[in-house]
Amino acid sequence: MAVDNKENIKVFALGGVGEIGKNMYVVEVNEDIIIIDAGLMFPKEEMLGIDKVIPDITYLLENEKRIRGIFLTHGHEDHIGGLPYVLRELSVPVYGTKLTLGLVGHKLTEAGLIEKVKLVEINSNSIIKAGDTKVTFFRTNHSIPDSVGVSVHTSKGAIVHTGDFKFDFTPADGKHADMQKMAQLGENGVLCLLSDSTNAEKAGYTGSETSVGHKISDVFYESKGRVIIASFASNIHRIQQILDAAIANQRKVAVVGRSMENVVRIASELGYLSFPKEQIIDITEVPNYDDDKVAILSTGSQGEPMAALSRMARHAHRQVQIKHGDTVIIAATPIPGNETSISKIIDLLFRAGANVIYGQDVVHVSGHGSQEELKLMLNLMKPKYLVPVHGEYRMQKAHADLAVSVGTPRHHIFLVEKGDVIEIKDGHARKGSKVPSGDVLIDGLGVGDIGNIVLRDRRLLSQDGALVVVVTLSKGKRKVLAGPEVITRGFVYVRESEELLVEANKVVSKVLDGWMSNQGHEWSSLKAGIRDGLGQYLFEKTRRRPMILPIIMEV
Amino acid sequence: MAVDNKENIKVFALGGVGEIGKNMYVVEVNEDIIIIDAGLMFPKEEMLGIDKVIPDITYLLENEKRIRGIFLTHGHEDHIGGLPYVLRELSVPVYGTKLTLGLVGHKLTEAGLIEKVKLVEINSNSIIKAGDTKVTFFRTNHSIPDSVGVSVHTSKGAIVHTGDFKFDFTPADGKHADMQKMAQLGENGVLCLLSDSTNAEKAGYTGSETSVGHKISDVFYESKGRVIIASFASNIHRIQQILDAAIANQRKVAVVGRSMENVVRIASELGYLSFPKEQIIDITEVPNYDDDKVAILSTGSQGEPMAALSRMARHAHRQVQIKHGDTVIIAATPIPGNETSISKIIDLLFRAGANVIYGQDVVHVSGHGSQEELKLMLNLMKPKYLVPVHGEYRMQKAHADLAVSVGTPRHHIFLVEKGDVIEIKDGHARKGSKVPSGDVLIDGLGVGDIGNIVLRDRRLLSQDGALVVVVTLSKGKRKVLAGPEVITRGFVYVRESEELLVEANKVVSKVLDGWMSNQGHEWSSLKAGIRDGLGQYLFEKTRRRPMILPIIMEV
């Protein structure tokens, strides 16, 4: 690698800052573009009908030739979920650990892309040449195994991305975070650190995953009936501990829920889960065992209505129904926005007669480090510059405040939005220009075709529905041949609103008459007149504003 | 009052059980019907376009002649918000404390009902004759002053409703809960207790309101700039402490937000708030003072986008903009469901440069008692039967478990849903028949006209929009005179989807041709054919399912 003291270094985020989700970070060293992660985000409440959101990669498409690879920190959706879409447009190699690539491979196979993509397996000791730039890795602890941080080496120090991390000194899989490597990086010089801000507002330390294992074992021991445990499918540490607890307490384990079944399969094939084959039984075999000899591992820990746990609670699951005597462990805390659905499912479970372990007694720890751990990372890395990432603005800000308390000068900390470029030259950083960035909404098969106009219309329709007014006019003579006909959905209950709709029809007729007596008018003014007149009438009568769609047919 | 050992006693809820909101409870003693509270509920997420929800009062309308009055426990919306609707249909007197009636009066005046309603002021010592039944009251602590519990006396003991309560031993207004009266009721015999389950899942005690006052004073003292504090308008204790802290720290107070201005006005007129006149300044005068001499009391503590705090944060408020150096106190915790909007506004405030006090450091205590306080109430009242109310099912269940731990026999505790009647005869209670109950949805001016069909349609429209297909046919000859014309909203971005819509048109034409060549077919089968054919085509192409509205005009 040429030692060039005048490297042009750029660091920016295309997703994952000012938001939680769709992480995508870019480090440029001269002509080498290194992408870190390519995640998706689940739609926000106001994104009606939208399935997923991915980062706008316009900049990457414009600079495709310089991209050396996508380096994945770990296998969570908000870090790999965007790959099927990104890899349709970019032909670049993808680097990741074994488990991460196992999950990616499954995704790309489903998307029909597996043949076209070059997947390169790395581990925490790998050294990758990305163009002229050296990239290395270091192991971290997170709520999924095989997670790494990424270091991009330059002559003035490393640009380090922590990935998602916590410090778990008693990790469930025995794989400790590589603090020695982190300390070494700090010793050699970290020019810029991009660090996980998710729990920057939380004081103290995040608990160890093994503490959860102990709690689960206690519940398996004490419960007199079946134990159903709902967890994030991706938390393989958690699944391993559940299996261990089951073995220790002579409970067979049945797995329900597609994503859970997938993860258990992939993880055991790749060696990330280990258990005696006979420990796992099919869900249909559950009735063959005494209740206190059974545990059910299920999806639906966020109260998702279509996932297994909710269906079992509502007696809508073909094989399992929640019954009196069951103990249900919700081994998760609400992802922001999901509080209501989790609340609902807890209610449903109680109504179904279960004893539910949740809330204050929750059997769960976060996968993200709290304040003390973020400060520990800063002390190990001793970065010259800090860019708090993976968080809403307030989390980035809280992280910045932590760094100041640790000794990082305030002007060496950058609170960036998507697209803000940090330019580092000769070891000095400053905020540079912006690159294109934004949200790309995915609805069904459409990628990016839904924008503000369509969303605005969906919002209006969701509030007061729609009213369609159709009139058939004769060409030229402007005689009304048919209609006006008024059809409505989502506005009023038609059977009980006949009078209102009859009156509405009269209002339209009046507008029509007025328009026809005024020769030379365009249809556009007729439509506007109908919208205004009818809109005003309906608002007076109902205080509602349905979307009004006037349609003129000409015969 | 005749002593009749064979009183027919019924106890049930028309709202407020299995949910938080629209509290309405009914106690019947022979021919006397006593209603306790008449609240509203804010719409749940899936109730698109709905403004408010009130209880179904069919039962009360059918038995109007027996209703002796509506007895209000306190002035919160979920206890009085339904009155304007209920009192349009029922002519019954309303009993409440001075502040409660002050807030009710304001509401009825806005609804044009004030002349028609008999409002009777009571205090905690009042004795009311409701038909042949004696009703008394006792003071409680809550997050609004002048809150009471209600006792309905029978020969076998009292039916007691706690209202919303906590036990605050250092109440901000110095008005202690009347524990002596509660103990006396327990001594004389409480046949059945309806008790507030809101915080039944929370261990320990709820903190005292005065602890919040201390924190506020500290913040007012330490902040170098302006302090903006957002609080529930109804929490008059809180407002008093804010005013006291302002006086102690030489800060003038400006009040922003309509509901806050209303409450401050009503509460001070009635003597529930006291402050030197010059302590409160108009919002327009704020720039005339140094930043550290100003406090702003604002609405919007739940992140409501239209309330003052959000507008100030977005620089959309005419008089005040949040600026760097401001300290903002969010003196509230999220009402379940509001977590996302509070999260958003905290982010907005940080971006605007404010220092925000929230989350772990929140300056707030609940108005509802936690587990120890609920057990205290049970120990004071020593009820024979318990009906946990004011809560979701899981809160009612947690409350039941608490009562069992205190010594109440499990079979003496009733977990009721709306409409479940508890019949008590000769001192013995059992679950009886049901009365009609349910949700009445209010949208604009319409009360109860929106039901499942309209909501389902709004939901469909919100997901994938609508596609309207219009065809004009000739009478009889079934010739296509105009169309098909396809108009769409909320489905695709029209300008970029021309090809799709052209193809969609062809699909419809094909269906039309098929239908016309098949003589004797009804329009209904043509419409069905269009819906199916077009629906299938669009789903194949887009994986979306817009609502398809075929309209046939006949000329």
Side-chain angles (χ1 to χ4, degrees):
Chain A
M1 184 181 73
V3 175
D4 180 354
N5 286 341
K6 297 199 185 65
E7 287 144 324
N8 263 326
I9 299 167
K10 289 184 179 156
V11 174
F12 56 94
L14 291 176
V17 291
E19 64 196 2
I20 294 266
K22 60 173 162 75
N23 293 282
M24 194 176 216
Y25 305 96
V26 179
V27 179
E28 297 190 19
V29 183
N30 291 334
E31 287 309 298
D32 298 327
I33 292 180
I34 286 142
I35 301 171
I36 297 173
D37 288 334
L40 68 73
M41 185 174 82
F42 289 106
K44 296 179 186 167
E45 211 180 314
E46 59 270 19
M47 296 176 179
L48 294 166
I50 298 301
D51 303 323
K52 312 169 192 183
V53 189
I54 54 175
D56 180 332
I57 55 169
T58 301
Y59 178 81
L60 300 175
L61 296 172
E62 288 168 356
N63 292 276
E64 185 174 3
K65 293 202 191 71
R66 296 170 48 210
I67 300 174
R68 307 301 171 218
I70 300 176
F71 294 78
L72 303 173
T73 58
H74 64 286
H76 276 150
E77 276 300 287
D78 61 321
H79 293 258
I80 66 169
L83 281 171
Y85 304 96
V86 170
L87 294 171
R88 256 184 217 124
E89 319 248 9
L90 294 174
S91 280
V92 295
V94 176
Y95 299 85
T97 57
K98 182 161 134 185
L99 176 66
T100 305
L101 290 191
L103 296 165
V104 167
H106 174 73
K107 209 178 263 304
L108 295 180
T109 302
E110 282 195 337
L113 288 168
I114 193 70
E115 303 293 318
K116 306 177 189 157
V117 179
K118 181 177 172 196
L119 298 178
V120 181
E121 187 179 309
I122 55 98
N123 60 46
S124 54
N125 292 320
S126 302
I127 301 175
I128 299 295
K129 243 340 204 38
D132 288 326
T133 308
K134 181 172 93 168
V135 179
T136 62
F137 310 87
F138 53 94
R139 193 160 64 212
T140 54
N141 298 128
H142 190 40
S143 44
I144 188 171
D146 244 5
S147 61
V148 291
V150 179
S151 301
V152 178
H153 297 263
T154 80
S155 61
K156 288 287 185 184
I159 312 293
V160 177
H161 192 300
T162 62
D164 291 4
F165 77 95
K166 64 192 284 189
F167 282 98
D168 190 332
F169 300 132
T170 51
D173 61 357
K175 300 220 164 77
H176 295 258
D178 202 331
M179 295 178 69
Q180 287 72 18
K181 212 162 185 180
M182 295 178 204
Q184 190 70 58
L185 281 164
E187 183 67 18
N188 294 344
V190 171
L191 181 51
C192 183
L193 180 71
L194 290 83
S195 182
D196 176 7
S197 312
T198 311
N199 277 354
E201 298 161 297
K202 295 194 166 68
Y205 277 94
T206 297
S208 169
E209 182 62 35
T210 42
S211 69
V212 180
H214 293 147
K215 282 192 190 177
I216 293 171
S217 209
D218 287 346
V219 175
F220 278 25
Y221 178 76
E222 285 159 6
S223 301
K224 297 187 168 46
R226 306 184 305 182
V227 180
I228 294 93
I229 174 162
S231 165
F232 290 115
S234 56
N235 196 341
I236 292 158
H237 301 305
R238 191 68 53 82
I239 296 173
Q240 181 67 65
Q241 295 195 100
I242 289 166
L243 292 166
D244 293 343
I247 292 167
N249 290 283
Q250 291 100 44
R251 289 184 186 258
K252 296 294 188 188
V253 178
V255 180
V256 278
R258 200 167 65 94
S259 53
M260 189 66 80
E261 294 166 47
N262 277 341
V263 166
V264 171
R265 187 176 41 79
I266 294 173
S268 32
E269 278 171 12
L270 296 177
Y272 290 88
L273 273 179
S274 100
F275 49 90
K277 202 157 148 244
E278 61 275 8
Q279 201 64 33
I280 290 192
I281 59 173
D282 191 77
I283 193 66
T284 49
E285 300 179 65
V286 162
N288 303 341
Y289 294 83
D290 288 341
D291 284 352
D292 63 345
K293 297 277 178 282
V294 160
I296 297 170
L297 172 57
S298 167
T299 51
S301 64
Q302 294 289 301
E304 308 97 300
M306 288 293 105
L309 185 64
S310 178
R311 286 187 290 125
M312 294 191 285
R314 285 180 284 123
H315 293 198
H317 193 278
R318 249 181 251 160
Q319 289 105 1
V320 183
Q321 275 81 44
I322 298 294
K323 61 183 186 183
H324 190 84
D326 283 342
T327 299
V328 180
I329 304 174
I330 310 262
T333 46
I335 289 170
N338 289 349
E339 294 84 356
T340 306
S341 25
I342 288 186
S343 193
K344 276 185 189 170
I345 200 173
I346 290 169
D347 219 70
L348 269 176
L349 290 164
F350 270 119
R351 286 179 188 273
N355 173 36
V356 188
I357 299 176
Y358 69 105
Q360 284 164 174
D361 310 313
V362 78
V363 174
H364 175 69
V365 293
S366 169
H368 299 271
S370 301
Q371 289 178 350
E372 295 310 305
E373 289 150 276
L374 300 192
K375 290 192 270 184
L376 171 53
M377 180 64 86
L378 287 163
N379 274 275
L380 287 169
M381 294 283 182
K382 300 189 292 180
K384 184 170 183 187
Y385 298 103
L386 172 69
V387 183
V389 296
H390 200 287
E392 300 273 3
Y393 181 87
R394 67 181 189 283
M395 300 164 185
Q396 295 170 271
K397 169 127 190 346
H399 200 167
D401 291 346
L402 282 178
V404 167
S405 77
V406 150
T408 318
R410 175 87 56 189
H411 64 284
H412 278 204
I413 305 169
F414 294 93
L415 291 178
V416 298
E417 302 201 15
K418 291 193 287 285
D420 286 342
V421 178
I422 309 291
E423 293 176 5
I424 310 178
K425 223 172 150 123
D426 208 22
H428 299 291
R430 57 177 199 90
K431 230 177 196 169
S433 53
K434 282 184 75 91
V435 298
S437 65
D439 295 350
V440 170
L441 308 178
I442 296 173
D443 184 356
L445 295 179
V447 178
D449 66 307
I450 300 289
N452 286 334
I453 292 176
V454 177
L455 286 183
R456 179 207 66 195
D457 283 349
R458 286 181 185 175
R459 214 162 293 142
L460 287 169
L461 290 167
S462 77
Q463 292 301 295
D464 288 328
L467 206 110
V468 182
V469 181
V470 190
V471 182
T472 304
L473 301 178
S474 64
K475 271 196 180 61
K477 289 194 191 137
R478 291 197 180 171
K479 191 171 149 220
V480 177
L481 296 176
E485 186 141 340
V486 171
I487 291 96
T488 173
R489 289 284 187 281
F491 168 46
V492 290
Y493 184 40
V494 174
R495 276 196 208 152
E496 287 177 8
S497 310
E498 284 165 8
E499 208 187 289
L500 179 78
L501 295 173
V502 162
E503 286 305 311
N505 208 307
K506 289 184 189 164
V507 167
V508 175
S509 291
K510 211 167 161 195
V511 171
L512 255 175
D513 292 339
W515 178 78
M516 288 198 299
S517 52
N518 247 320
Q519 299 191 353
H521 264 184
E522 294 299 327
W523 279 18
S524 54
S525 73
L526 172 58
K527 289 187 179 182
I530 291 174
R531 259 194 296 267
D532 291 345
L534 195 49
Q536 205 174 323
Y537 171 73
L538 293 174
F539 186 69
E540 264 172 43
K541 290 291 164 195
T542 68
R543 279 279 178 283
R544 295 176 203 168
R545 297 187 194 279
M547 181 183 285
I548 296 170
L549 286 172
I551 300 174
I552 323 282
M553 305 286 279
E554 209 183 28
V555 168
Chain B
M1 182 181 76
V3 174
D4 180 353
N5 287 341
K6 297 197 185 67
E7 289 144 326
N8 263 324
I9 299 168
K10 290 185 180 156
V11 174
F12 57 95
L14 291 176
V17 291
E19 66 196 0
I20 294 266
K22 59 173 162 73
N23 292 282
M24 196 177 214
Y25 306 95
V26 179
V27 179
E28 297 191 17
V29 183
N30 292 333
E31 288 308 297
D32 298 328
I33 293 179
I34 284 141
I35 301 170
I36 297 173
D37 286 335
L40 68 73
M41 185 174 82
F42 290 106
K44 295 179 189 167
E45 211 179 316
E46 59 269 20
M47 295 176 178
L48 294 166
I50 298 301
D51 303 323
K52 313 169 192 184
V53 189
I54 55 174
D56 179 333
I57 55 168
T58 299
Y59 178 82
L60 300 174
L61 296 172
E62 289 169 355
N63 292 277
E64 184 174 4
K65 293 200 190 73
R66 295 170 49 210
I67 301 174
R68 307 301 171 220
I70 301 176
F71 293 78
L72 303 173
T73 58
H74 64 286
H76 276 150
E77 276 299 288
D78 62 322
H79 293 256
I80 66 169
L83 282 172
Y85 304 94
V86 170
L87 294 172
R88 255 184 217 124
E89 319 248 9
L90 294 175
S91 281
V92 296
V94 176
Y95 299 85
T97 57
K98 184 162 132 185
L99 176 65
T100 307
L101 291 191
L103 296 165
V104 167
H106 174 73
K107 206 177 264 305
L108 295 181
T109 303
E110 282 195 337
L113 288 168
I114 193 71
E115 302 292 318
K116 306 176 188 162
V117 179
K118 180 178 173 198
L119 298 178
V120 181
E121 188 181 308
I122 54 98
N123 61 45
S124 54
N125 293 320
S126 303
I127 303 175
I128 299 295
K129 239 345 201 37
D132 288 326
T133 308
K134 181 172 93 169
V135 179
T136 61
F137 310 87
F138 53 93
R139 194 160 62 211
T140 55
N141 298 129
H142 190 40
S143 44
I144 188 171
D146 244 4
S147 61
V148 291
V150 179
S151 302
V152 178
H153 298 265
T154 80
S155 61
K156 289 287 186 184
I159 312 292
V160 178
H161 192 301
T162 62
D164 292 4
F165 76 95
K166 65 192 283 190
F167 283 98
D168 190 336
F169 301 135
T170 51
D173 60 356
K175 302 224 162 75
H176 294 259
D178 201 334
M179 295 178 70
Q180 287 72 19
K181 212 161 184 181
M182 297 179 204
Q184 190 71 56
L185 281 164
E187 182 67 18
N188 294 344
V190 172
L191 181 51
C192 180
L193 180 70
L194 290 83
S195 182
D196 177 6
S197 312
T198 312
N199 278 352
E201 298 163 297
K202 296 194 166 65
Y205 277 93
T206 298
S208 169
E209 182 61 36
T210 42
S211 69
V212 181
H214 296 146
K215 282 193 192 177
I216 293 172
S217 207
D218 288 345
V219 175
F220 277 25
Y221 178 77
E222 285 159 7
S223 301
K224 295 187 169 48
R226 304 183 307 182
V227 180
I228 293 95
I229 174 162
S231 165
F232 291 113
S234 57
N235 196 340
I236 292 158
H237 301 305
R238 189 72 50 86
I239 297 173
Q240 181 67 66
Q241 295 193 100
I242 290 166
L243 291 167
D244 293 343
I247 293 166
N249 290 281
Q250 290 100 44
R251 289 184 185 261
K252 296 294 188 190
V253 178
V255 180
V256 277
R258 199 167 65 95
S259 55
M260 189 68 80
E261 294 167 45
N262 278 340
V263 165
V264 171
R265 186 176 41 79
I266 293 172
S268 32
E269 278 171 10
L270 297 176
Y272 289 89
L273 273 180
S274 99
F275 50 89
K277 203 156 148 250
E278 60 277 7
Q279 202 64 33
I280 291 191
I281 59 173
D282 190 77
I283 192 67
T284 49
E285 300 177 67
V286 161
N288 305 342
Y289 294 82
D290 288 340
D291 285 351
D292 65 345
K293 295 280 180 280
V294 159
I296 297 171
L297 172 57
S298 167
T299 52
S301 63
Q302 295 289 302
E304 307 98 301
M306 287 295 105
L309 186 64
S310 177
R311 286 188 290 124
M312 292 192 288
R314 286 179 284 122
H315 293 198
H317 194 279
R318 248 181 252 160
Q319 288 103 4
V320 184
Q321 275 80 44
I322 298 295
K323 61 183 188 183
H324 191 82
D326 283 341
T327 300
V328 180
I329 304 174
I330 309 261
T333 45
I335 289 170
N338 289 350
E339 294 85 357
T340 307
S341 24
I342 288 186
S343 194
K344 277 185 188 170
I345 199 173
I346 290 168
D347 220 70
L348 268 176
L349 290 165
F350 270 119
R351 286 180 188 272
N355 174 37
V356 188
I357 299 177
Y358 68 104
Q360 285 164 174
D361 310 314
V362 77
V363 175
H364 176 68
V365 293
S366 169
H368 299 271
S370 299
Q371 288 177 350
E372 295 308 306
E373 289 150 277
L374 300 192
K375 289 192 271 185
L376 171 53
M377 180 64 86
L378 286 164
N379 274 277
L380 287 169
M381 294 284 182
K382 301 190 291 181
K384 183 171 184 186
Y385 298 104
L386 172 68
V387 183
V389 297
H390 199 288
E392 300 273 3
Y393 181 87
R394 66 180 190 282
M395 299 163 184
Q396 294 170 272
K397 166 122 191 353
H399 200 167
D401 292 345
L402 282 178
V404 168
S405 77
V406 151
T408 317
R410 177 80 65 184
H411 64 284
H412 278 204
I413 304 170
F414 295 93
L415 292 178
V416 298
E417 300 201 17
K418 292 192 287 283
D420 286 342
V421 177
I422 310 291
E423 294 176 6
I424 310 178
K425 224 175 152 128
D426 207 21
H428 299 291
R430 57 176 199 90
K431 231 177 196 170
S433 53
K434 282 184 75 94
V435 297
S437 65
D439 294 351
V440 171
L441 309 177
I442 297 173
D443 183 354
L445 296 178
V447 178
D449 65 306
I450 300 288
N452 286 335
I453 292 175
V454 177
L455 285 183
R456 178 208 67 195
D457 283 349
R458 286 182 185 173
R459 215 163 292 142
L460 286 169
L461 290 167
S462 76
Q463 293 300 296
D464 288 329
L467 206 110
V468 182
V469 181
V470 191
V471 182
T472 303
L473 301 178
S474 64
K475 270 193 181 63
K477 289 196 191 136
R478 291 194 180 173
K479 192 169 149 220
V480 178
L481 296 176
E485 185 142 338
V486 170
I487 290 96
T488 173
R489 289 285 187 281
F491 168 47
V492 290
Y493 184 41
V494 173
R495 277 195 209 151
E496 287 178 9
S497 311
E498 284 164 10
E499 208 187 291
L500 179 77
L501 295 173
V502 163
E503 286 306 311
N505 208 305
K506 289 184 188 164
V507 168
V508 176
S509 293
K510 209 169 162 191
V511 172
L512 255 176
D513 292 339
W515 178 79
M516 288 198 298
S517 52
N518 247 320
Q519 298 191 357
H521 264 186
E522 294 299 327
W523 279 17
S524 54
S525 74
L526 171 58
K527 289 186 179 184
I530 292 175
R531 260 193 295 267
D532 291 346
L534 195 49
Q536 205 174 323
Y537 171 74
L538 294 174
F539 186 70
E540 265 171 42
K541 291 292 167 196
T542 68
R543 280 279 178 281
R544 296 176 202 168
R545 298 190 195 275
M547 179 183 289
I548 295 172
L549 286 171
I551 300 174
I552 323 283
M553 303 288 277
E554 208 182 29
V555 167

